[in-house]
C-alpha cells in the first residue's frame, strides 16, 4: 500500500533525523519521518549534550566548529527545557605530557580563531576547586556549551512538523532506498529521497555500511548546585575515544542547569545489550572519583546507556550512497552526533538542493566507505 508521496522520507527520529527533518521542512520540502520508537529514544537520550569543538582531524574540526556555530545561532529560539548553557570545556591535564597536549591544542585552536586559555595548576583550582589538588593544569575552551539532547531533538522535530513534516512513530522500517521506506507491516512511504538516519542501526537498513555499535554509559546525580562550573574532560579521554578495540573509561563530567551532574563516560565494542554493565560502570565512577573525589559522596539517581554509531575512520557518513540514487546517509557520528547534528543536516540538504556548502563535504561522503555498490532487494 502506498498512501503518500513525499520529497524526503527519513528513517530515525534521533537528533540527526530531527535536525534533517527541520532543515528540509524549512526549505519547503514535504517530509515524512519514521521511527520504530519515539523521538530521541536511541543514542540521543543517552548523549551528554556537550557541544564541543574537536581537533582529531581537520575534517572533524570543520564539522564540529561549524555545527557549534549553528547551535549558537539557534540559541534564542531554543525553549527553556533545552537548557542551553555556554559553560565552556576544561581539558584537564594530569601530568607534564598532558600539559604538552594542552599547549598543542591551544596553538591549533588559536590558528583557527577558536579562543582558548591555558590554565596552570592554580588557575585550574580557582575555576574548579573540587578537582583533586595534584592536577597540573588544563585548557579552557570558553565557547563550548551544553544542551539537553532529547529536548533539543523534540524542538527540532516539532519545528519540522510546524512546517508540514509528518511523523510516524512506533513504525519499524524494514527497507529504506529505491525511492521508498517499507515498514515491517508492509506499509510503504514513497519519496524521491530517502535518508537513513538510523544511528547505530543504519547498517541493518543499508547493507555495506560499516557501522559498529559502541556502547556508552552515563550516570546522573542528584542536585548539587555550584559543585561544578564547566564541562571537564581528562586529556586521557582522547586516548580512550581513539582506542579501537578495548573497553575504556574516561573522566568526563557535565554541570546541568538543575544542579545535577552527568558523569561519563565509557566506550565498549561488542556489547549489544542495553542493560547497565555494573563492572564498566564501577570503573567509570572510580575514574571520576579519582579526578573529583567529592563525586563519591553524591547520590546518583540513574544510569543510562546508548550506542554510538562508530565508523572505521571516525568521521560520519553524510551524503549519497553509491548504487541507489534515492538513498542518502546521515549517520556514523560516534560520540559527536549531538554536536554535529545541525551541520550534518545543513550539508546534507545543501547537497540535495545544489546549494554550495559552507565547509568542504568530501571527508564525510559515504562513497569513501562503500565496500561495494548497494543493491536493491
Ligand atoms: C554515553 C554517551 C554520551 C554521549 N555524549 C555526547 C556528547 O556529549 N556530545 C555529542 O555531540 N554526542 C554525544 N554522544 C553521541 C550522540 O549521542 C550520538 O552521536 C547521537 O545521539 C546520534 O544521533 P542519531 O540521531 O544519529 O542516532 P539515535 O539517537 O540513535 O537515533 C536513531 C533512531 O533511529 C531509530 N531506528 C533505528 N532503526 C530503525 C528502523 N529500522 N526503523 C525505524 N526507526 C529506526 C531508532 O529508534 C532511533 O530513534 C554520546 C553518546 C553516548 C552513548
Amino acid at each position: 500500500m502506498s498512501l503518500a508521496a513525499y520529497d524526503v522520507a527519513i528513517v530515525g527520529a534521533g537528533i540527526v533525523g530531527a535536525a534533517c527533518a527541520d532543515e528540509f521542512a524549512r526549505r519547503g520540502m514535504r517530509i515524512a519521518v519514521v521511527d520504530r520508537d519515539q523521538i530521541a529514544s536511541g543514542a540521543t537520550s543517552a548523549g551528554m549534550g556537550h557541544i564541543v569543538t574537536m581537533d582529531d582531524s581537520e575534517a572533524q574540526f570543520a564539522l564540529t566548529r561549524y555545527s557549534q556555530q549553528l547551535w549558537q545561532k539557534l540559541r534564542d529560539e531554543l525553549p527553556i527545557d533545552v537548557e542551553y548553557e555556554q559553560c565552556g570545556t576544561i581539558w584537564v591535564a594530569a601530568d607534564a605530557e598532558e600539559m604538552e597536549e594542552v599547549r598543542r591544542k591551544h596553538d591549533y585552536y588559536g590558528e583557527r580563531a577558536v579562543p582558548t586559555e591555558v590554565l596552570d595548576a592554580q588557575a585550574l583550582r580557582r575555576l574548579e576547586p573540587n578537582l583533586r589538588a595534584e592536577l597540573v593544569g588544563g585548557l579552557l575552551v570558553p565557547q563550548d556549551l551544553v544542551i539537553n539532547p532529547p529536548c533539543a531533538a523534540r524542538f527540532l522535530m516539532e519545528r519540522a512538523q510546524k512546517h508540514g513534516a509528518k511523523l510516524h512513530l512506533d513504525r519499524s522500517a524494514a527497507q529504506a532506498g529505491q525511492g521508498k521506506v517499507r515498514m515491517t507491516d508492509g506499509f510503504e512511504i514513497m519519496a524521491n529521497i530517502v535518508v537513513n538516519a538510523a544511528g547505530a542501526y543504519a547498517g541493518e537498513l543499508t547493507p555495506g555500511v560499516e557501522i559498529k555499535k559502541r556502547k556508552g554509559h552515563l550516570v546522573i546525580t542528584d542536585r548539587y548546585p555550584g559543585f561544578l562550573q564547566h564541562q571537564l574532560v581528562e586529556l586521557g579521554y582522547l586516548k580512550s575515544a581513539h582506542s579501537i578495540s578495548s573497553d575504556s573509561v574516561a573522566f568526563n563530567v557535565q554541570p546541568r542547569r538543575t544542579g545535577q551532574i552527568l558523569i561519563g563516560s565509557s566506550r565498549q565494542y561488542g556489547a549489544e545489550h542495553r542493560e547497565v554493565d555494573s563492572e564498566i560502570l564501577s570503573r567509570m565512577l572510580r575514574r571520576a572519583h579519582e579526578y573529583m573525589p567529592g563525586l563519591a559522596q553524591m547520590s546518583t539517581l540513574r544510569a543510562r546507556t546508548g550506542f554510538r554509531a562508530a565508523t572505521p575512520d571516525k568521521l560520519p557518513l553524510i551524503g549519497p550512497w553509491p548504487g541507489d540514487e534515492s538513498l542518502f546517509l546521515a549517520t556514523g557520528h560516534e560520540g559527536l552526533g549531538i554536536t554535529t547534528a545541525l551541520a550534518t543536516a545543513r550539508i546534507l540538504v545543501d547537497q540535495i538542493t545544489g546549494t554550495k556548502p559552507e565547509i568542504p563535504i568530501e571527508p564525510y561522503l559515504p562513497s569513501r566507505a562503500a565496500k561495494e555498490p548497494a543493491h536493491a532487494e
Side-chain angles (χ1 to χ4, degrees):
M1 180 171 59
S2 303
L3 276 190
Y6 292 90
D7 295 317
V8 185
I10 300 168
V11 181
I15 191 100
V16 172
C20 291
D22 175 54
E23 191 70 40
F24 279 117
R26 285 188 303 112
R27 296 209 205 176
M29 298 166 98
R30 291 166 305 149
I31 308 302
V33 183
V34 177
D35 199 292
R36 63 182 171 200
D37 203 325
Q38 298 297 305
I39 298 171
S41 52
T44 300
S45 66
M48 251 190 171
H50 186 202
I51 306 297
V52 53
T53 298
M54 293 286 285
D55 62 348
D56 286 359
S57 63
E58 285 300 330
Q60 190 195 57
F61 173 81
L63 194 68
T64 53
R65 181 65 173 158
Y66 176 40
S67 209
Q68 186 179 69
Q69 288 167 337
L70 294 175
W71 281 111
Q72 286 165 349
K73 283 187 191 144
L74 199 57
R75 175 180 197 158
D76 292 341
E77 292 175 57
L78 294 171
I80 194 113
D81 66 358
V82 174
E83 297 176 4
Y84 181 113
E85 291 286 344
Q86 193 183 315
C87 61
T89 305
I90 300 179
W91 292 93
V92 178
D95 55 30
E97 191 190 344
E98 290 185 359
M99 218 40 214
E100 279 304 302
E101 177 61 9
V102 161
R103 289 188 197 94
R104 188 203 61 76
K105 274 172 105 61
H106 173 66
D107 292 346
Y108 183 94
Y109 286 134
E111 285 156 15
R112 288 157 187 80
V114 180
T116 61
E117 191 186 328
V118 175
L119 308 172
D120 62 15
Q122 256 184 337
L124 178 66
R125 199 150 176 73
R126 205 169 46 244
L127 291 178
E128 291 292 350
N130 290 309
L131 278 168
R132 80 164 191 263
E134 302 77 23
L135 296 165
V136 299
L139 185 74
L140 172 64
V141 188
Q143 289 185 359
D144 285 351
L145 55 112
V146 302
I147 58 165
N148 179 318
C151 293
R154 276 191 286 276
F155 161 75
L156 292 167
M157 197 61 90
E158 281 164 17
R159 199 163 71 159
Q161 287 175 283
K162 282 184 194 140
H163 286 87
K166 299 279 181 277
L167 192 52
H168 300 263
L169 297 176
D170 294 317
R171 307 291 299 268
S172 192
Q175 189 201 332
Q178 305 299 324
K180 67 181 176 218
V181 174
R182 184 166 51 78
M183 317 291 190
T184 45
D185 59 10
F187 183 86
E188 289 184 348
I189 293 177
M190 312 303 288
N192 299 324
I193 305 268
V194 173
V195 177
N196 180 349
Y201 301 89
E204 292 173 11
L205 286 172
T206 307
V209 173
E210 226 185 312
I211 298 268
K212 275 194 187 169
K213 294 189 190 71
R214 205 167 188 196
K215 188 174 178 181
H217 287 71
L218 209 60
V219 168
I220 302 154
T221 72
D222 208 341
R223 295 169 187 238
Y224 297 92
F227 182 85
L228 175 68
Q229 310 300 329
H230 303 82
Q231 176 102 23
L232 302 181
V233 194
E234 66 162 294
L235 274 158
Y237 171 88
L238 299 172
K239 292 173 212 148
S240 143
H242 289 171
S243 144
I244 49 163
S245 52
S246 56
D247 295 354
S248 58
V249 296
F251 168 67
N252 184 354
V253 289
Q254 179 179 107
R256 303 297 320 167
R257 189 180 285 172
T258 53
Q260 291 172 293
I261 294 170
L262 298 189
I263 305 176
S265 61
S266 65
R267 284 181 150 78
Q268 288 172 284
Y269 283 119
E272 296 282 327
H273 55 83
R274 293 188 78 140
E275 286 79 50
V276 170
D277 175 336
S278 53
E279 202 262 274
I280 194 112
L281 195 72
S282 317
R283 267 178 67 192
M284 189 181 96
L285 288 173
R286 272 201 305 278
R287 189 74 180 165
H289 301 162
E290 275 167 37
Y291 275 79
M292 278 198 125
L295 290 172
Q297 315 311 319
M298 293 186 175
S299 25
T300 56
L301 298 183
R302 57 187 174 275
R304 297 191 302 221
T305 66
F307 293 100
R308 305 174 184 91
T311 60
D313 65 3
K314 305 184 187 74
L315 287 173
L317 302 161
I318 310 167
W321 180 245
D324 179 347
E325 59 183 33
S326 71
L327 181 59
F328 286 70
L329 304 186
T331 183
H333 297 82
E334 219 270 3
L336 289 169
I338 312 298
T339 301
T340 55
L342 297 185
T344 296
R346 192 62 74 88
I347 63 180
L348 185 72
V349 180
D350 284 344
Q351 290 179 58
I352 288 166
T353 57
T355 312
K356 189 175 180 314
E358 287 186 35
I359 59 170
I361 58 167
E362 289 70 24
Y364 324 112
L365 291 177
S367 50
R368 75 184 196 280
K371 275 191 190 152
E372 55 188 50
H375 297 293
E377 271 180 31

